[in-house]
Amino acid sequence: MSLERVVLVLGAPRSGTGYLCNVLDAHADLAVGQEWRLPELACLAGWLVTHGALPEDRAGLRVGAGEIALGRAFVHLLAEATLDRTGATCFGDKFPPYATQMPMLERLLPGCRFVHILRDGRDVAASMMRAHAVLRSWRRTADPPGIGSCIASWASMVGAARDAGAQLGPDRYV
């Protein structure tokens, strides 16, 4: 698979990444999934191939270069299977935390491109708080987030993505 054909959608949670993913996926040449969590998937696949089973405690999982290489191969197979199944020519995925994982994704999928959706931080914070109230324990937290923590989360993700994007340049980060 040509890695120039990988597009990753990112942004803070509640910024519209799902909506943008659906719009992109509607194009015949794009097959954009929703939240494959590619770095985690690669690490777990590499560990599974190397060790024959997944560890019970994944929180402290540490993978080496060999496991990452096997995981990368698995992600490439997943992308190829997706392209074969859909007839698309470009593989994509979206996951809001990709905003903080861009350097890792660049190592996993060299040459991939990033599309960063930005939504006003005040709207994101309000949506996060509303989602928590409506969905109860949204994002696996029992206590509702405060407005300050929601804004700080947005600012952190936007800053991380912009910093990494500046290193990649406009041909790879939009």
Side-chain angles (χ1 to χ4, degrees):
M1 173 179 70
S2 172
L3 293 177
E4 294 87 46
R5 297 183 297 149
V6 176
V7 175
L8 301 172
V9 175
L10 54 95
R14 315 297 304 171
S15 288
T17 55
Y19 178 77
L20 178 57
C21 178
N22 290 337
V23 169
L24 294 173
D25 192 54
H27 193 284
D29 289 336
L30 300 172
V32 184
Q34 296 233 6
E35 302 195 7
W36 279 101
R37 301 174 185 220
L38 295 173
E40 182 181 352
L41 183 63
C43 290
L44 291 174
W47 183 275
L48 182 60
V49 169
T50 304
H51 300 281
L54 293 175
E56 288 186 32
D57 177 23
R58 294 184 200 153
L61 184 69
R62 301 287 181 258
V63 295
E67 292 155 339
I68 292 292
L70 289 169
R72 180 182 302 136
F74 177 78
V75 169
H76 287 232
L77 288 173
L78 170 72
E80 284 292 336
T82 300
L83 294 177
D84 288 346
R85 180 179 49 80
T86 62
T89 58
C90 181
F91 173 78
D93 188 42
K94 81 94 176 169
F95 186 45
Y98 286 166
T100 61
Q101 299 172 345
M102 290 170 65
M104 182 187 310
L105 287 159
E106 166 60 20
R107 288 190 299 277
L108 184 63
L109 298 162
C112 64
R113 293 189 168 110
F114 298 92
V115 177
H116 182 189
I117 187 167
L118 289 170
R119 182 180 179 194
D120 188 291
R122 296 165 293 194
D123 292 330
V124 168
S127 181
M128 290 171 85
M129 294 178 71
R130 187 172 37 256
H132 194 285
V134 172
L135 301 177
R136 306 251 195 268
S137 300
W138 179 73
R139 295 286 185 215
R140 298 185 190 105
T141 59
D143 297 323
I147 192 76
S149 67
C150 292
I151 292 170
S153 172
W154 174 85
S156 174
M157 289 191 134
V158 168
R162 284 182 167 171
D163 289 347
Q167 298 297 315
L168 294 171
D171 291 339
R172 304 254 326 276
Y173 171 79
V174 177

